[in-house]
Amino acid sequence: MKLLRISPSILDIPFREAFKHASAERAATQTLWVQCATATGVTGVGEGCPREYVSGESLESALAFVAKHQDAWMAEIDSVDALRMWVETNRVSLDVNPAAWSAVELAILDALAIEKNCSIEKLLGLPELCGNFLYTAVLGDASAASFQKQLERYLANGFTDFKIKLSGNLELDMQKIAVLRATGVPAGRVRADANNLWPDVASAVLHMKALNFAFMGLEEPIRTGSPQALRQVAVALGTKVILDESLLRLDQIGDFEEDRQHWIVNLRISKMGGILRSLDMLSAIREAGFGLIVGAHVGETSVLTRAALTIANQGRDILIAQEGAFGTHLLAHDVVEQPLMFGHGGILEFATGGKPGLGLDVRVPT
């Protein structure tokens, strides 16, 4: 493959309704969109979601990263092996620009697979996608009345797995718990996400004990993210802690290996820096004995939803839950003809149908 052009842009799609959690509130996508054109006329597409509160990236820094390296990519990357080499030799740079690289890498993989007339799974030597993918109902931080309406919609649509965003307001969070109890949702099917809400262990433990609800996991309760502090939370509450912002790089996983019973990892492709790095992290998670959630940033299009299926399919043996696949349930419009999104019961069934690359009919933004 010969890359002729790498074109980054900002993808701005409004939401049907605003989504709020403790770290941010947004009403539109915050997305880097990348297109790779090849000498044979193929166009590959990719997506990344830079988040200041996750990896320290912004749309501006992501665009600057692409501008800095695009000439080198066009000169050096012409195969999967060359792509792997670039990832390995530029690990430090990718550690601080994971979302930007996610968009670029995905576009290159898409183009490579299209040129070889195969799926990205076959290109990477992985099993083809098969079976159903089951998604979690994610409820944003909202008033108790709005929370109840969201939950009732999910229940009416057959969802059985739930994640709620905590507000830190004890009265409001207790009202949400009351709604969960009133609707008969089992605590063991509910995860709580604090989005780094509390300043210390004591504050987190005090709040969660007051809720008196046996969540199956608590995601990112404190701002420090230190392994020792997170251990203290897990032990004090007798629950698993879900690592998201606290586990951004492969070299951090060793900080948690000594007490594997406490941890579940939320692996998001954009956060990890692409499919190749996500596959490496998946192998490390499996070896460490942690549980796996394949997560998503709010506002992902069907392109990142599709990329996450590669990881979920490869990690089925340790997969606890999957998030995302909102498509036009959330977005005013998607970038594909038929958006990839969950249906009744949170189920998404997808097969490439013989289409190469990502297997999507992309309406390339202009």
Side-chain angles (χ1 to χ4, degrees):
M1 181 187 74
K2 172 62 178 175
L3 287 171
L4 293 183
R5 186 171 60 259
I6 296 176
S7 305
S9 59
I10 295 172
L11 193 62
D12 187 8
I13 301 174
F15 292 174
R16 294 184 182 276
E17 59 182 89
F19 188 92
K20 180 183 178 184
H21 57 70
S23 297
E25 180 175 5
R26 63 184 72 257
T29 56
Q30 183 178 324
T31 300
L32 176 70
W33 180 259
V34 171
Q35 296 169 205
C36 290
T38 76
T40 60
V42 164
T43 298
V45 299
E47 174 185 2
C49 296
R51 298 289 187 264
E52 291 86 348
Y53 54 87
V54 176
S55 60
E57 294 173 279
S58 65
L59 288 171
E60 292 73 20
S61 71
L63 288 168
F65 175 78
V66 177
K68 178 179 180 181
H69 295 288
Q70 59 186 350
D71 289 344
W73 296 329
M74 288 186 287
E76 299 173 21
I77 299 176
D78 58 3
S79 65
V80 172
D81 287 343
L83 182 65
R84 292 185 192 277
M85 180 62 70
W86 208 92
V87 170
E88 183 59 34
T89 57
N90 291 273
R91 184 174 299 276
V92 174
S93 179
L94 300 189
D95 283 347
V96 294
N97 296 281
W101 174 246
S102 171
V104 174
E105 182 198 80
L106 189 54
I108 293 174
L109 286 172
D110 189 29
L112 280 166
I114 292 172
E115 285 210 341
K116 290 185 176 294
N117 195 32
C118 68
S119 68
I120 60 172
E121 284 74 27
K122 186 173 182 179
L123 180 75
L124 296 173
L126 303 173
E128 297 281 9
L129 298 185
C130 62
N132 293 335
F133 298 86
L134 181 64
Y135 284 83
T136 296
V138 180
L139 295 96
D141 181 19
S143 68
S146 294
F147 179 88
Q148 182 167 353
K149 289 179 182 178
Q150 289 178 35
L151 180 59
E152 288 173 350
R153 288 201 301 268
Y154 279 125
L155 289 170
N157 279 286
F159 278 79
T160 58
D161 191 57
F162 303 88
K163 172 176 170 176
I164 72 168
K165 298 286 188 175
L166 297 175
S167 69
N169 179 312
L170 184 58
E171 181 179 356
L172 175 56
D173 287 342
M174 290 183 75
Q175 289 173 352
K176 295 176 183 177
I177 299 304
V179 170
L180 289 169
R181 287 198 171 103
T183 52
V185 175
R189 301 300 300 175
V190 185
R191 308 188 298 280
D193 188 357
N195 287 103
N196 314 107
L197 186 58
W198 292 290
D200 51 46
V201 172
S203 302
V205 170
L206 184 66
H207 189 99
M208 296 305 296
K209 284 190 172 181
L211 295 183
N212 190 29
F213 194 75
F215 291 104
M216 66 81 68
L218 174 61
E219 186 165 342
E220 291 296 340
I222 54 178
R223 294 172 197 161
T224 64
S226 75
Q228 184 55 38
L230 292 172
R231 281 188 190 92
Q232 292 172 10
V233 172
V235 171
L237 296 176
T239 191
K240 289 185 180 291
V241 168
I242 301 168
L243 306 172
D244 188 354
E245 291 85 1
S246 297
L247 189 58
L248 298 171
R249 305 185 311 274
L250 191 62
D251 62 8
Q252 293 174 314
I253 202 163
D255 295 336
F256 300 94
E257 285 182 318
E258 67 183 55
D259 42 14
R260 62 191 62 192
Q261 73 276 12
H262 293 320
W263 317 117
I264 300 170
V265 177
N266 187 333
L267 193 163
R268 297 187 278 180
I269 286 179
S270 181
K271 175 193 78 171
M272 287 309 308
I275 287 180
L276 296 180
R277 283 164 59 104
S278 292
L279 288 168
D280 288 342
M281 178 61 83
L282 172 59
S283 296
I285 292 168
R286 181 182 286 114
E287 184 175 348
F290 304 160
L292 170 70
I293 294 171
V294 175
H297 292 289
V298 175
E300 291 183 359
T301 77
S302 290
V303 170
L304 269 176
T305 295
R306 166 63 181 90
L309 296 182
T310 305
I311 306 303
N313 196 54
Q314 186 71 4
R316 285 187 187 273
D317 58 316
I318 57 171
L319 186 65
I320 292 171
Q322 197 166 355
E323 299 166 3
F326 278 88
T328 53
H329 294 310
L330 177 64
L331 304 177
H333 58 87
D334 208 324
V335 295
V336 300
E337 295 293 337
Q338 295 182 313
L340 281 184
M341 54 199 224
F342 53 71
H344 186 80
I347 295 172
L348 169 64
E349 184 177 0
F350 179 77
T352 58
K355 295 178 181 176
L358 294 169
L360 302 175
D361 293 318
V362 177
R363 294 177 288 194
V364 177
T366 56

